[in-house]
Amino acid sequence: MTTIKTSNLGFPRLGRKREWKKAIESYWAKKIDKAELDQTLTDLHRENLLLQKNYNLDSVPVGDFSLYDHILDTSLLFNIIPERFQGREVNDDLLFDIARGNKEHVASALIKWFNTNYHYIVPEWNNVEPKVNRNVLLDRFNYAKSLNVNAHPVIVGPITFVKLSKGGNQSFEEKVQTLLPLYKEVLQSLVDAGAEYIQVDEPILVTDESANYEDITKEAYNYFAEAGLADKLVIQTYFERANVKFLSSLPVGGLGLDFVHDNGYNLKQIEAGDFDKAKTLYAGIIDGRNVWAADIEAKKELIETLQNYAETIVIQPSSSLLHVPVSLDDETLDESIEEGLSFATEKLDELDALRRLFNNSDSKKYDELKARYERFQSQSFKNLEYDFDSVPTSRKSAFPERKKVQDARLNLPDLPTTTIGSFPQTREVRKYRADWKNNRISDEEYNNFLESEIARWIKIQEEIGLDVLVHGEFERNDMVEFFGEKLQGFLVTKFGWVQSYGSRAVKPPVIYGDVKWTEPLTVKETVYAQSLTDKPVKGMLTGPVTILNWSFERVDVPRKVVQDQIALAIDEEVLALEEAGIKVIQVDEPALREGLPLRSEYHEQYLADAVNSFKLATSSVQDETQIHTHMCYSQFGQIIHAIHDLDADVISIETSRSHGDLIKDFEDINYDLGIGLGVYDIHSPRIPTEDEIATAIDRSLQQIDRSLFWVNPDCGLKTRKEDEVKDALTVLVNTVRKKREETSQNKPA
Ligand code: GLN
Ligand code: ZN
């Protein structure tokens, strides 16, 4: 038997205690200078490299570490600089300005990295002059070598890089062709520096469209082969199945395949003989995106199977470990649960255990992990009974009848105004919450603070003249973690952070057991807010699809079941709010669209399940209770029918940045439920003008019946400053007042 080698695709940048984030933000805030930033980040990079080396990896990735985003690094490497930022020296300050914007220029767009919660900076091709710029990748590779770390460079491949970028006059193929000599130069520099192989990430090759890219992919890798690089390149795919036969036909030394998130198809293709045995198989066998300990015995068997079809095998995580927290070492979790978990370093330990087992007949670590896994599995976290059928999945009456009773009860004006839920999470709000969590202040002090903040904002909303008010979400750290803390079956970690974009990290809760509602989650704050005003206060919940998508999900129960369990918990909360007299309840589903599987063959089932869960969560109420939902995006195209099927009385969506797209989507469907289109962009501190808002309203009213139309900002206001919120909402309400007057004057006598 040949030896089994181990490798990794990428390691979290954040650091165990988010040192990376803190250093970068301190630099932005001018609390540390560039020299100190560089030193801190070099230390952290060294720590990451040495930490991985400790697990005896045959090769550690380099090029995954970055000051912001590895796609942006690649843009700078090839001088793909947005036109408005051109002419400056290419350095880290330019990098930060492109990522964050500066006084003169807006930032580049951020887009989700495939179906993960990571966001990359979109490369912009308008009037660029591609060339090889500062080669940070080479510097980092040399740095790893200087530490005696056996490393391989990682670079995003030309097909993926170009496909994820925008702008410029050249066609997709022409852009790839433009970059080929530049890639060749960089790849050659790495080989000259001693790289044994280079991991070329081409995740775009797992999408439905990848069949259209085969010609250009062939052209690109043939070009590298002609330059003598063939043996040095590994085409790395992840997140879904790839076309193994096609990739096998390319002149490269190795192929990286995901054996966890491929729905079994990569293995099937291998078993069908599609893999070229002359190549090295980089087998992604450990889940790089979830936090569960591997079923190590099953992994051993998978390797044994793969050995029948490949002569040289490198085992590794299924994707970069960017998507999981660093280490369990700092957590203080219940041991019985901790045994079932595996963060980045624990995953490397799993690879090490398998390597020892296969190469050295050393089963000590393997046996240990196997015993742990079995102990964890033997505990039952499946201990609740659910009667999903007893909860309705459709409202008592159809929308037109519900609307009548709701209108009569709420008595709202023409073009009612509302907000999406959150008000500014000021430094003070965050400090009170942290003090309370760390027992520095009492429950009473904390509650008093929350009440005073709610009361202050109820008054502000009344003064501005909004129609449906909110309590402001001051008690919430995050719209998912907050629910995770309160629902049974969830675990909230201390340091389980993962990078979302730039310096922003989220701490997804871990769903480990059956989910159950045990106590009211939001009733106290909502009822308090309602007690202060005659206007309706909207209850504010996160929906089951979003809670699941933004958590680490359990894998011992089908996804749909977990989602429905969460739905029943939300249903209980909806009923508790209704019972407490709340007349309007919003169930946010901002993650519904992003959870859409990469391959379209799974879309229909995903959407059907999502709709079912949302309806489970929201259909038990009386007709007179108005259910809202909210989604912060506007590319509805392929999901518009599912959105309609949710049967929410009112949906609020983002539109201010892409009005045209939305109107187009709505042409295909007669949207006959209540709908609020975001009339200004909350991501910018800019205060909108009355003209802008009036235009946004007028355009929407061409498409949507006025009696169904609501006016609201694009999304929650938690990241804005208090004055910005007050000023912008005042403009919004004043514009609506004028619109109302116009129509009452125009009415025939
Ligand atoms: N209710 C949430 C808020 O206002 C919604 C956030 C979101 O859509 N991401 O912050
Ligand atoms: Zn939103």
Side-chain angles (χ1 to χ4, degrees), residues 419-423 470 472-473 476 479 540-542 546 550 586 588-591 630-632 714-719:
T419 63
I420 307 304
S422 59
F423 283 127
V470 295
E473 302 181 24
R476 303 183 191 180
M479 65 187 292
M540 197 56 61
L541 306 173
T542 304
T546 298
W550 288 350
Q586 179 171 311
D588 290 327
E589 286 289 16
H630 164 71
M631 298 176 187
C632 12
D714 264 351
C715 190
L717 299 161
K718 66 175 167 217
T719 55

